[in-house]
Amino acid sequence: LFRSIEYSKHMDGLLYGDTLAHQNANHSVSLKGDFWKAFYAGENYHTRFVTNRDHIHETFPARKLLHEMAENVWGNGEPGVHNNDWINIWNPVKEDGEITTSNPCSEYLHLNNTSCNLASFNVYRFLDLGTHTFDAKGLMHAVRLGMICADLNIERGGFPIPEIAVGTRTYRTTGLGFANVGGLLMAMGIPYESDEGRWIASQLCSLLTASSFHVSAELGSFLGAYPAFERTQKSLRQVLNLHRVIQELAADLPGKNREYLDEKTIDLYNRSSALLPSAQGLTGLDALKAFGRVFVAPDKMDRNRLAGFAAVQETARQIWKSVCAPGLRFRNSFTTVMAPTGTISAPLGCYD
């Protein structure tokens, strides 16, 4: 009987759209800048129709609404929360619209009807276990190969609906990422929940993204920029510059006290404010401050334990400077994600 029936593979077809819908789903709430303004002011917040923002559906006290969401998260793990203001300050194509949602795991944040092909590296493989030194050049080489393959896959990949095929090729989004950061930290004896661990993770992410955009610029010089580049390049360059100034802060962070870092943060922002993005009331200064708050006691960080990542930090800093140079044309509007990698951890050797 089953062999004689052919089911549509379409996302809205009988099997996926009608039969399995909501049986294994993630439910998220998108909190925009106006919600947080109402929350801090103790005011009401209006929910609105997605298709008609002028239509108010219901009104709630913002603080009560967040409390009820928190209670539900404690009870059953839902809903997840999207801080839509933070998401959109990093939006590299603001000229074409706001980012409204993500894929179910929330690592991919771009416009609707786009997609990225995931490609993760096992970062543990780049660590010298004897010296605890990370192979920055090796990662850069891997990123180069990964970006070339990922960009080629946009041309030859299959997509579930025509709209996603058009969107993906318009913005040429790729999804390079990491797996086994926890394994790397444990191999070094560094707690996962520590300032040293967070700093190492931030520098790995910075080098990954800087390197991927460096390759994207190289591809762009030979093959041309993504189709929407001309009309969206201002937003993209603003996001790249935000990466650059945050990397400048990260490079100077270990061992420094809060007073020094606060002054450094303001100085970095003042020198680059005209080049940085904003969204829903947030500015580049907010992003710099948020990065600094990730670290509990930066003045107490053990810089000796970070020495093996000095090349990662400095290489990322230099690449961001070159990537932000005027005149570059990028093949891709978006290059990196941090996926859960649950399904690919085994073939990547994370359990070896």
Side-chain angles (χ1 to χ4, degrees):
L1 174 64
F2 291 106
R3 291 179 181 176
S4 64
I5 299 176
E6 291 189 6
Y7 289 101
S8 169
K9 298 178 182 178
H10 195 281
M11 61 187 292
D12 296 322
L14 173 64
L15 182 60
Y16 294 105
D18 296 337
T19 307
L20 298 179
H22 306 299
Q23 293 185 28
N24 186 19
N26 292 336
H27 302 281
S28 298
V29 175
S30 182
L31 302 178
K32 300 181 184 296
D34 56 351
F35 173 84
W36 291 112
K37 289 178 183 177
F39 175 83
Y40 288 117
E43 297 174 349
N44 289 335
Y45 182 74
H46 308 296
T47 57
R48 301 172 185 269
F49 278 18
V50 172
T51 54
N52 180 7
R53 291 284 300 160
D54 293 330
H55 185 102
I56 294 175
H57 181 54
E58 292 185 76
T59 299
F60 304 90
R63 292 178 179 176
K64 180 181 179 183
L65 193 61
L66 187 65
H67 179 78
E68 290 183 357
M69 282 190 280
E71 287 289 329
N72 277 283
V73 170
W74 177 254
N76 63 19
E78 299 284 5
V81 170
H82 280 176
N83 285 307
N84 191 263
D85 47 357
W86 284 108
I87 289 170
N88 275 285
I89 200 172
W90 293 98
N91 180 354
V93 292
K94 292 183 182 68
E95 292 85 353
D96 282 4
E98 282 198 343
I99 297 171
T100 59
T101 187
S102 72
N103 68 313
C105 294
S106 284
E107 73 267 19
Y108 176 66
L109 295 156
H110 208 279
L111 301 188
N112 290 350
N113 288 320
T114 62
S115 66
C116 75
N117 42 327
L118 301 179
S120 296
F121 302 108
N122 181 353
V123 289
Y124 176 80
R125 300 295 191 191
F126 297 88
L127 179 69
D128 185 317
L129 294 176
T131 63
H132 288 179
T133 300
F134 192 86
D135 183 6
K137 290 184 178 180
L139 178 63
M140 292 167 61
H141 179 69
V143 169
R144 180 179 174 81
L145 296 178
M147 277 299 297
I148 293 172
C149 293
D151 189 72
L152 286 170
N153 196 44
I154 294 172
E155 297 296 326
R156 298 297 180 183
F159 303 95
I161 56 176
E163 292 85 352
I164 292 179
V166 171
T168 303
R169 287 173 178 166
T170 298
Y171 302 103
R172 302 194 71 84
T173 44
T174 62
L176 271 62
F178 287 149
N180 216 13
V181 175
L184 177 146
L185 294 175
M186 286 188 282
M188 297 177 63
I190 295 177
Y192 196 77
E193 174 64 277
S194 68
D195 282 345
E196 290 82 0
R198 283 185 283 271
W199 187 85
I200 288 172
S202 77
Q203 295 311 285
L204 292 176
C205 290
S206 185
L207 180 59
L208 174 77
T209 306
S211 299
S212 66
F213 273 109
H214 179 77
V215 177
S216 183
E218 188 178 0
L219 290 172
S221 69
F222 285 100
L223 302 174
Y226 63 93
F229 174 76
E230 296 299 339
R231 65 177 183 265
T232 63
Q233 61 172 306
K234 180 180 178 181
S235 289
L236 175 60
R237 295 188 196 281
Q238 287 176 340
V239 167
L240 297 179
N241 273 291
L242 185 54
H243 278 290
R244 175 183 58 81
V245 296
I246 289 179
Q247 179 60 22
E248 292 286 344
L249 179 60
D252 207 20
L253 186 142
K256 301 298 174 38
N257 61 45
R258 286 290 180 191
E259 183 179 1
Y260 172 86
L261 292 173
D262 288 344
E263 292 177 358
K264 176 84 172 182
T265 296
I266 294 172
D267 177 61
L268 285 169
Y269 176 72
N270 288 339
R271 286 192 281 119
S272 296
S273 59
L275 304 174
L276 303 180
S278 60
Q280 299 179 27
L282 294 177
T283 68
L285 181 59
D286 295 307
L288 280 160
K289 289 180 177 179
F291 179 78
R293 287 196 298 269
V294 167
F295 302 91
V296 178
D299 56 325
K300 297 180 180 179
M301 291 171 64
D302 187 346
R303 283 182 285 186
N304 291 329
R305 306 188 81 179
L306 307 177
F309 289 80
V312 174
Q313 172 261 304
E314 181 58 23
T315 303
R317 192 172 72 88
Q318 293 299 331
I319 295 176
W320 279 123
K321 284 185 177 181
S322 67
V323 163
C324 292
L328 296 181
R329 296 173 59 80
F330 297 92
R331 182 71 168 164
N332 316 90
S333 68
F334 180 98
T335 60
T336 55
V337 300
M338 200 54 58
T341 65
T343 56
I344 64 171
S345 293
L348 280 173
C350 295
Y351 305 138
D352 293 354

Coordinates of all heavy atoms in Angstrom, one line a residue, residues 301-330:
M301 N 40.9 38.0 34.3 CA 41.1 36.9 33.3 C 42.6 36.5 33.3 O 43.5 37.4 33.4 CB 40.7 37.4 31.9 CG 39.2 37.5 31.8 SD 38.7 38.3 30.2 CE 39.3 37.1 29.0
D302 N 42.9 35.2 33.2 CA 44.2 34.7 33.2 C 44.8 34.8 31.7 O 44.5 33.9 30.9 CB 44.2 33.3 33.6 CG 45.6 32.7 33.8 OD1 46.6 33.3 33.3 OD2 45.7 31.6 34.4
R303 N 45.6 35.8 31.4 CA 46.0 36.0 30.1 C 47.0 34.9 29.6 O 47.2 34.7 28.4 CB 46.7 37.4 30.0 CG 45.6 38.5 29.9 CD 46.3 39.9 29.7 NE 46.9 40.3 30.9 CZ 47.4 41.6 31.1 NH1 47.4 42.4 30.1 NH2 47.9 41.9 32.2
N304 N 47.6 34.2 30.6 CA 48.5 33.1 30.2 C 47.8 32.0 29.6 O 48.3 31.3 28.7 CB 49.3 32.6 31.5 CG 50.3 33.6 32.0 OD1 50.9 34.4 31.3 ND2 50.4 33.6 33.3
R305 N 46.5 31.8 30.0 CA 45.7 30.7 29.4 C 45.2 31.1 28.0 O 44.7 30.2 27.3 CB 44.6 30.4 30.3 CG 45.0 30.0 31.7 CD 43.9 29.5 32.6 NE 43.6 28.1 32.3 CZ 42.7 27.4 33.0 NH1 41.9 28.0 33.9 NH2 42.5 26.1 32.7
L306 N 45.3 32.4 27.7 CA 44.8 32.9 26.4 C 45.9 33.0 25.4 O 45.7 33.3 24.2 CB 44.1 34.2 26.6 CG 43.0 34.3 27.6 CD1 42.4 35.7 27.7 CD2 41.9 33.3 27.3
A307 N 47.2 32.8 25.8 CA 48.3 33.1 25.0 C 48.3 32.3 23.7 O 48.8 32.8 22.6 CB 49.6 32.8 25.7
G308 N 47.8 31.1 23.7 CA 47.8 30.3 22.5 C 46.8 30.8 21.4 O 46.8 30.2 20.3
F309 N 46.0 31.8 21.8 CA 45.0 32.4 20.8 C 45.4 33.8 20.4 O 44.6 34.5 19.9 CB 43.6 32.3 21.4 CG 43.1 30.9 21.5 CD1 43.5 30.1 22.5 CD2 42.2 30.4 20.5 CE1 43.0 28.8 22.6 CE2 41.7 29.1 20.6 CZ 42.1 28.3 21.6
A310 N 46.6 34.2 20.8 CA 47.1 35.5 20.4 C 47.1 35.7 18.9 O 46.7 36.8 18.4 CB 48.5 35.8 21.0
A311 N 47.5 34.7 18.2 CA 47.5 34.8 16.7 C 46.1 34.9 16.1 O 45.8 35.6 15.1 CB 48.2 33.6 16.1
V312 N 45.1 34.2 16.8 CA 43.7 34.3 16.4 C 43.2 35.7 16.5 O 42.6 36.3 15.6 CB 42.9 33.3 17.2 CG1 41.4 33.5 16.8 CG2 43.3 31.9 16.9
Q313 N 43.5 36.3 17.7 CA 43.0 37.6 18.0 C 43.6 38.7 17.0 O 42.9 39.5 16.4 CB 43.3 38.0 19.4 CG 43.0 39.4 19.8 CD 44.3 40.3 19.8 OE1 45.3 39.9 20.4 NE2 44.3 41.3 19.0
E314 N 44.9 38.6 16.8 CA 45.6 39.6 16.0 C 45.2 39.4 14.5 O 45.0 40.4 13.8 CB 47.1 39.6 16.2 CG 47.8 40.6 15.4 CD 47.4 42.1 15.7 OE1 46.9 42.3 16.8 OE2 47.7 42.9 14.8
T315 N 45.2 38.2 14.1 CA 44.8 37.9 12.7 C 43.4 38.4 12.4 O 43.2 39.0 11.3 CB 45.0 36.4 12.4 OG1 46.3 36.0 12.7 CG2 44.7 36.2 10.9
A316 N 42.5 38.1 13.3 CA 41.1 38.6 13.1 C 41.1 40.1 13.0 O 40.4 40.7 12.2 CB 40.2 38.1 14.2
R317 N 41.8 40.8 13.9 CA 41.8 42.3 13.9 C 42.3 42.8 12.6 O 41.8 43.8 12.0 CB 42.7 42.8 15.1 CG 42.6 44.2 15.3 CD 43.3 44.6 16.6 NE 44.8 44.6 16.4 CZ 45.5 45.6 16.0 NH1 44.9 46.7 15.7 NH2 46.8 45.5 15.8
Q318 N 43.4 42.2 12.0 CA 44.0 42.7 10.8 C 43.0 42.4 9.6 O 42.9 43.3 8.7 CB 45.3 42.1 10.5 CG 46.4 42.5 11.5 CD 46.7 44.0 11.5 OE1 46.5 44.7 10.5 NE2 47.1 44.5 12.7
I319 N 42.4 41.3 9.6 CA 41.5 41.0 8.5 C 40.3 41.9 8.5 O 39.8 42.3 7.4 CB 41.1 39.5 8.5 CG1 42.3 38.6 8.3 CG2 40.0 39.2 7.5 CD1 41.9 37.1 8.5
W320 N 39.7 42.2 9.7 CA 38.6 43.1 9.7 C 39.0 44.5 9.2 O 38.1 45.1 8.5 CB 38.1 43.2 11.2 CG 37.2 42.1 11.6 CD1 37.3 41.3 12.6 CD2 36.0 41.7 10.9 NE1 36.3 40.3 12.7 CE2 35.5 40.6 11.6 CE3 35.3 42.1 9.8 CZ2 34.3 39.9 11.3 CZ3 34.1 41.4 9.4 CH2 33.6 40.4 10.2
K321 N 40.2 44.9 9.4 CA 40.6 46.2 8.9 C 40.6 46.1 7.3 O 40.1 47.1 6.7 CB 42.0 46.6 9.4 CG 42.0 47.1 10.8 CD 43.5 47.5 11.2 CE 43.5 48.1 12.6 NZ 44.9 48.5 12.9
S322 N 41.1 45.1 6.8 CA 41.2 45.0 5.3 C 39.8 44.8 4.7 O 39.5 45.3 3.6 CB 42.1 43.8 4.9 OG 41.5 42.5 5.3
V323 N 38.9 44.0 5.4 CA 37.6 43.7 4.9 C 36.8 45.0 4.9 O 35.9 45.2 4.0 CB 36.9 42.7 5.8 CG1 35.4 42.7 5.5 CG2 37.4 41.3 5.4
C324 N 37.0 46.0 5.8 CA 36.3 47.2 5.8 C 36.8 48.3 4.9 O 36.3 49.4 4.9 CB 36.2 47.7 7.3 SG 35.2 46.7 8.4
A325 N 37.8 48.0 4.1 CA 38.4 49.0 3.2 C 37.4 49.3 2.1 O 36.6 48.4 1.7 CB 39.7 48.4 2.5
P326 N 37.3 50.6 1.7 CA 36.3 50.9 0.7 C 36.6 50.3 -0.6 O 37.8 50.0 -1.0 CB 36.4 52.5 0.7 CG 37.8 52.7 1.2 CD 38.1 51.7 2.2
G327 N 35.5 50.1 -1.4 CA 35.7 49.6 -2.8 C 35.6 48.1 -3.0 O 35.5 47.7 -4.1
L328 N 35.6 47.4 -1.9 CA 35.5 45.9 -2.0 C 34.0 45.6 -2.4 O 33.1 46.2 -1.9 CB 35.8 45.2 -0.7 CG 37.3 45.3 -0.2 CD1 37.5 44.6 1.1 CD2 38.3 44.9 -1.3
R329 N 33.9 44.5 -3.2 CA 32.6 44.0 -3.6 C 32.5 42.6 -3.2 O 33.3 41.8 -3.5 CB 32.4 44.1 -5.1 CG 32.5 45.6 -5.7 CD 32.5 45.6 -7.2 NE 31.3 44.9 -7.7 CZ 30.1 45.5 -7.8 NH1 29.9 46.8 -7.4 NH2 29.1 44.9 -8.4
F330 N 31.4 42.3 -2.4 CA 31.3 41.0 -1.8 C 30.4 40.1 -2.5 O 29.3 40.5 -3.0 CB 30.8 41.2 -0.3 CG 31.8 41.9 0.5 CD1 31.7 43.3 0.7 CD2 32.8 41.3 1.2 CE1 32.6 44.0 1.4 CE2 33.7 42.0 1.9 CZ 33.6 43.4 2.0

